Amino acid sequence: MLDIELIRENPEAVKAGLTKRGMQTAIVEEAAKLDVRRRELLTEVETLKAERNAVSKEIGVMKEKTDREKKIAAMRSVGEKIDALDSELKEVDEKLNGIMAVIPNIPFDNVPAGGEADNQVVKEWGEKPEFDFEAKPHWDLGPELGIINFDQGVRVTGSRFYVLSGAGARLQRALIAWMLDLHIRQGYTEKYTPFIVKEVTVFGAGQLPKFKDNLYKDYEEDLYLVPTAEVPLTGLHMDSILEADQLPLRYTAYSPSFRREKMSAGRDVRGIKRGHQFDKVEMYKFTVPEASQSEFESMVADAEATCQALGLPYRLLLKAAGDTSEAAHISYDIEIWAAGCKEWLEVSSISLVGDFQARRAAIRYRPKGGKGTAFVHTINGSGLGLPRTLIGVLENNQQADGSIVIPEVLKTWMGGIDVIRPEAG
RNA sequence: GGAGAGGUGCCAGAGUGGACGAAUGGGGCGGUCUCGAAAACCGUUGUGGUCUUAUGGGCCACCGAGGGUUCGAAUCCCUCCCUCUCCGCCA
């Protein structure tokens, strides 16, 4: 959520941000109008309330009956006016909040304008593996090794579900454990959070209202399955005021992510690249505004280090405004090269959110030496999405006989397995 | 799931219709005292909104959440949420 004052004082900047994302700007005017109306109503209704408060106090100490009755009658009609204005105010408030909830964050100046096609590759790391045989995609490798079973996923649940088996399941678990340990060494505190959350929690992270159709919801309890650990992590400090010396808070969390993927029906249906349920290790930071840029950069480096340690060739993309998430000022994507399906796969998206989520979720802090409170800045990034990382590991480390060499860093968790062979499944 | 108790400021805890944004104690902050500290004493100490010729002030709102009654609600009524204790049941 943007600061309404920004719309009041610099609507052009807000419009420019929307334009950069390829959006219409009419809602800015609408918000500005509602804001003016809101304050008119406030002034009016608060004057009446002040009057009522003052007279009610008098009534409390009055002895004379007739006067007293007169004042009570007068206040009764003031009360009616207040009720009418209050309900109009409520309407205006709701409209304004509705609009404010869909105005995205303003992209930084260095974010390229445009959509997905305008994303800029800013860095490439590692060599794409060369094979002297035809590299197989994971949807062939997995079933052949007996470590990915698509049929069973469909049998149990439906399309876009799969089952990992034996060394495959273990490999994913190894990746999760290793990544968490890595992030702990990088200075993050591990969190285990609920995977089912309240609506306000989803709203706070900025996933609602926009992604309503992409979320799984328990209508009986009014709860949502998390689409990413970013949601519960943002929620950890909802409605609270942190002390400046507590910051920065750096968290890492493993969680499954549940997405209905209604918006990408028919896309990426093959393999495990895009499922309704996938695991992820997330990084998240709460910082003071002055530190958010450097904390953002170090998070990008932390995510890159994960790919590097696994020996996965990757490229770093600066996302264009239209492809940057609503909540973010700026985002980088990390895409790893998958040698079998021969494509770049997004395994991480790191976003500097500024105070956008903090304002929605009411996460504040007391600036040192300063007065009052201010909103914290938040930064989030995947410490890699699991299925796609798994794809990279499988496809890039395959050998002519169809076996997979386990990356060195994961061996501790693989119980002595250093090569996955068909019989290991 | 059943029965009961309760949710008030940073914490503890009072307040059952009017002078209560809220007693009292603790903590924090500032000060006096001191070579310094402790103790003691004095002062101060919430958040948000809005208005304002404004480094200050006015007003409004907030005592779990949302409604209602009333001239007036922390206080009365309704609904919901949460916590604790006991019983039952299932991981």
Side-chain angles (χ1 to χ4, degrees):
Chain A
M1 193 125 65
L2 295 182
D3 188 350
I4 186 71
E5 249 180 77
L6 194 59
I7 284 171
R8 219 174 271 166
E9 276 154 28
N10 196 356
E12 294 314 313
V14 179
K15 285 189 211 167
L18 286 170
T19 305
K20 201 170 179 182
R21 285 178 184 267
M23 293 173 68
Q24 298 297 313
T25 60
I27 48 173
V28 178
E29 306 288 357
E30 225 176 304
K33 268 186 211 155
L34 287 165
D35 175 51
V36 169
R37 182 67 189 136
R38 171 175 174 272
R39 284 181 295 150
E40 282 170 4
L41 286 167
L42 263 181
T43 310
E44 217 176 322
V45 76
E46 285 186 356
T47 306
L48 290 174
K49 283 182 181 173
E51 185 192 345
R52 182 177 68 182
N53 287 346
V55 176
S56 289
K57 234 174 229 185
E58 288 174 30
I59 292 170
V61 294
M62 277 175 78
K63 299 272 158 61
E64 217 279 296
K65 238 187 174 166
T66 327
D67 273 6
R68 194 183 150 93
E69 289 308 320
K70 250 187 217 164
K71 296 224 170 183
I72 287 177
M75 285 311 101
R76 197 171 290 149
S77 80
V78 168
E80 279 162 19
K81 278 186 211 157
I82 289 173
D83 284 347
L85 288 170
D86 262 343
S87 64
E88 195 183 344
L89 182 62
K90 193 176 165 188
E91 231 174 89
V92 170
D93 261 337
E94 277 165 10
K95 268 190 212 161
L96 180 57
N97 290 340
I99 290 174
M100 292 306 287
V102 299
I103 297 179
N105 207 347
I106 296 177
F108 279 167
D109 288 342
N110 59 328
V111 171
E116 203 175 336
D118 301 296
N119 291 347
Q120 291 173 3
V121 177
V122 294
K123 181 178 186 177
E124 287 201 40
W125 183 94
E127 302 283 322
K128 293 182 185 175
E130 302 282 341
F131 299 105
D132 50 12
F133 55 90
E134 188 55 34
K136 291 178 180 172
H138 67 281
W139 54 77
D140 288 335
L141 281 171
E144 283 168 22
L145 288 165
I147 60 173
I148 305 177
N149 192 316
F150 295 103
D151 298 338
Q152 287 179 339
V154 172
R155 185 177 303 144
V156 170
T157 307
S159 69
R160 285 192 195 276
F161 286 88
Y162 53 86
V163 170
L164 296 179
S165 179
R170 188 166 197 172
L171 180 58
Q172 169 159 292
R173 178 161 54 86
L175 281 163
I176 293 165
W178 169 74
M179 283 179 193
L180 286 169
D181 285 356
L182 174 65
H183 296 323
I184 290 167
R185 287 197 298 278
Q186 288 167 336
Y188 298 80
T189 302
E190 184 176 354
K191 295 282 175 182
Y192 170 84
T193 71
F195 303 146
I196 304 174
V197 296
K198 296 190 281 195
E199 183 163 302
V200 283
T201 310
V202 192
F203 179 86
Q207 311 281 332
L208 278 174
K210 195 185 177 191
F211 291 113
K212 188 171 185 295
D213 290 342
N214 202 27
L215 297 170
Y216 285 100
K217 181 175 182 183
D218 171 359
Y219 280 91
E220 219 152 295
E221 306 282 348
D222 253 348
L223 296 172
Y224 292 81
L225 299 190
V226 298
T228 158
E230 180 190 341
V231 171
L233 287 173
T234 306
L236 293 180
H237 297 291
M238 263 194 306
D239 289 317
S240 36
I241 301 173
L242 304 164
E243 294 305 324
D245 53 18
Q246 285 180 267
L247 300 169
L249 293 166
R250 304 185 183 97
Y251 297 147
T252 184
Y254 152 80
S255 100
S257 303
F258 301 98
R259 299 182 184 180
R260 295 176 65 207
E261 299 291 356
K262 289 294 168 201
M263 291 183 266
S264 46
R267 257 176 75 190
D268 307 323
V269 285
R270 201 131 192 230
I272 63 172
K273 181 177 163 191
R274 187 185 293 274
H276 289 304
Q277 168 187 323
F278 66 97
D279 282 14
K280 194 152 61 71
V281 170
E282 185 80 4
M283 296 179 281
Y284 199 96
K285 294 179 181 179
F286 298 85
T287 79
V288 296
E290 308 80 66
S292 63
Q293 182 66 39
S294 65
E295 290 289 345
F296 172 58
E297 284 159 19
S298 68
M299 188 183 284
V300 174
D302 292 337
E304 283 187 65
T306 312
C307 296
Q308 290 172 6
L310 289 169
L312 296 170
Y314 67 88
R315 60 183 194 180
L316 187 65
L317 265 63
L318 172 57
K319 301 189 85 174
D323 200 30
T324 299
S325 81
E326 300 272 296
H329 283 303
I330 178 170
S331 295
Y332 285 100
D333 272 4
I334 293 176
E335 296 184 339
I336 57 164
W337 177 252
C341 51
K342 297 188 174 54
E343 42 172 336
W344 292 101
L345 301 177
E346 179 198 323
V347 291
S348 178
S349 190
I350 304 106
S351 298
L352 172 48
V353 168
D355 64 9
F356 192 87
Q357 289 174 326
R359 183 168 279 110
R360 285 180 163 235
I363 308 165
R364 289 168 292 163
Y365 77 106
R366 289 180 210 284
K368 260 214 176 88
K371 273 206 288 188
T373 63
F375 290 107
V376 301
H377 281 196
T378 60
I379 299 152
N380 68 78
S382 345
L384 304 197
L386 263 304
R388 293 178 186 177
T389 305
L390 198 62
I391 292 172
V393 170
L394 295 178
E395 295 189 0
N396 294 352
N397 296 334
Q398 61 182 297
Q399 303 184 94
D401 63 355
S403 64
I404 313 287
V405 177
I406 301 296
E408 194 60 37
V409 292
L410 299 179
K411 286 186 178 167
T412 315
W413 288 272
M414 288 302 287
I417 301 171
D418 45 20
V419 177
I420 302 179
R421 297 194 166 81
E423 62 271 22

